[in-house]
Amino acid sequence: FLPSCLPAFLPSCLPSCLPACLPACLFGLRASLGLRCFVWRGGAARDAPGLGVPRTQAWGDLRRNGGEETRHKAMSAGAGLTAIARHAGGNKQALHAHMNWVRTKVLGTHTHNTNAVAAAVATSGGAKEMHAAANSAQGSPGANPPAPSRGPLSRARWWCSGFSSSADPQQQQQPAESIHKGLVGVVADKSAVSTVGRKDVGLTYRGYKIEDLARTCSFEDVMHLLTRGALPTPEEAEALQGRLARARKLPDALKVALEQCPAHAHPMDVLRTGCSVLGTIEPENVGVEMLRDHEAVLRIGERLMGAFGPMILYWHHWHASGERIEPEKYLNPSDTLSQTFLKLLFKTSEAPDALDNKVVDASYILYAEHDFAASTFASRVTASTMSDVYSCICTAIGTLRGNLHGGANEAVMQFLEGISSKSEATSILKEKLSKKELIMGFGHRIYKNGDPRNAIFKELSHQLSSRPGGKPELYSISAHIEQMMEDEKRMYANADFYAASAYHQVGIPTYLFTPLFVVARTSGWIAHIIEQRSSNKIIRPSSAYTGPAERALPSHYAKL
């Protein structure tokens, strides 16, 4: 057939075909070669090494389903099949899967996703591409190749999708994008605030190891580091302390709002409400200048961190005893945020126990920042819309409220309170594991071999249990559960597990655990809000639509 075909087609097809691969060039002659082109390709498929698939399979489909349109479908399918067969390397299963695709393409029994087939055509027959194509041929979900450029992959997709000489490869149907549930593995932006779980690094705040910060610094030092980029000088530390002391005063209108929050409200809802109310009393000026000048957001952050402790404890005591506590009655200007919380909680002007204060202060440091954790990322999403800082913090508080984030330490304590001995712990834990129930306080999205914060909380919990009036049995049960989880599930305790027993031994009510988290993490939220504003682009991901196709309204709806 070559003598009859070449004179007619060489002048027109050579310029467009030569840059493409040989099979695509040959298939450009299909109008003249017709059925013979398909039979020739069927023969090539048959002759592929070790495959032994007779050309009569494809021929039989064509013969039984005649017609010009059907023949074109068959030739398209045969072309793709042949190229894949040549790369199959003797894999009969893969070729048979694609022969089934040829038949369904001819018969038109279901729509075929040609993207995976085109990927295999355009590559050198790697196992991954062949597997993806075979899955697609058999109706399996999945592995579509990336969107093509104008290269071999693009030409191959055009080749397997209809072979129209006027079709633009870029206008063909694009493959589905990869979906990263929970944004796992997605690097959303740059950040200079912290490192979390990096190999040979661990958790650092602006380059300082968390262990060093928790051992030697106060939370106020760490707050300054996170929000202003450096540890404070003595003069800066003194100025910060003065601003935080003034930030403790609650406006009367805010007190009224706190009293209206019911006693059964979740404390995180109270803090979210208090933050929002304060934002109406002392609003941030929203405008383009906030992208350049960050002092206003820094001052609002300090105002919130100073006020959150008195705020939640005002509500706590109002519903517990009807007392409207006045922070000035118990506090002095030099009291730190941890001392402020403990003094107001126990309504005393005496300095808190040194170990109790260390537990709260260290917990503030350990909880202060954790890269793009859910609440932090939520605050950055809100900040990216150019919203005010109070809205960003409210977003973050609502996100932190969940048990899979900030509320985990409360869930841990509720679990531990129901266990009185190590033997009972063994029985309960085995039962929960057999039912595949979630054990709070274990596992972490980032830390697969242990949370570096856990060791610090564990040591503090142990010190508390060893002092007079401590709870050694609580610590012993906690350590027993930790060991069981390592042995049975290879899961390691995260920061929340020993934080629960530490807070409990200080005397902090369980329902106030997460509000402590808010005081601490606000420093990280503020750092990230500033970072987002400094190089802003609205955060707006896309979804892979899985709903119904476009359709008409039901007939009983009146047409406008």
Side-chain angles (χ1 to χ4, degrees), residues 233-249:
T233 64
E235 294 76 18
E236 289 171 334
E238 183 179 359
L240 175 61
Q241 179 60 40
R243 293 194 297 271
L244 292 173
R246 292 190 292 274
R248 298 187 298 231
K249 184 174 178 59

Side-chain angles (χ1 to χ4, degrees), residues 103-238:
R103 288 203 296 271
T104 54
K105 185 77 171 180
V106 172
L107 296 171
T109 54
H110 70 271
T111 301
H112 171 69
N113 182 350
T114 61
N115 294 318
V117 178
V121 172
T123 60
S124 59
K128 181 178 180 181
E129 289 81 6
M130 283 299 301
H131 179 68
N135 281 345
S136 180
Q138 296 176 76
S140 301
N144 286 324
S149 61
R150 289 179 177 267
L153 179 60
S154 180
R155 289 193 295 271
R157 179 171 292 110
W158 165 71
W159 181 41
C160 290
S161 301
F163 312 97
S164 170
S165 59
S166 62
D168 184 343
Q170 294 298 318
Q171 294 176 349
Q172 302 301 321
Q173 180 181 358
Q174 298 299 306
E177 296 291 340
S178 297
I179 297 173
H180 299 272
K181 294 289 287 184
L183 302 183
V184 176
V186 174
V187 179
D189 207 340
K190 298 177 182 178
S191 178
V193 183
S194 68
T195 64
V196 176
R198 298 199 174 191
K199 185 178 180 182
D200 301 325
V201 177
L203 175 59
T204 67
Y205 295 168
R206 299 199 186 274
Y208 296 104
K209 293 175 62 176
I210 190 64
E211 295 86 352
D212 295 339
L213 293 172
R215 182 173 57 251
T216 61
C217 296
S218 69
F219 172 66
E220 285 74 10
D221 295 333
V222 173
M223 179 203 308
H224 194 281
L225 170 68
L226 290 172
T227 59
R228 295 181 181 268
L231 290 169
T233 64
E235 294 76 18
E236 289 171 334
E238 183 179 359

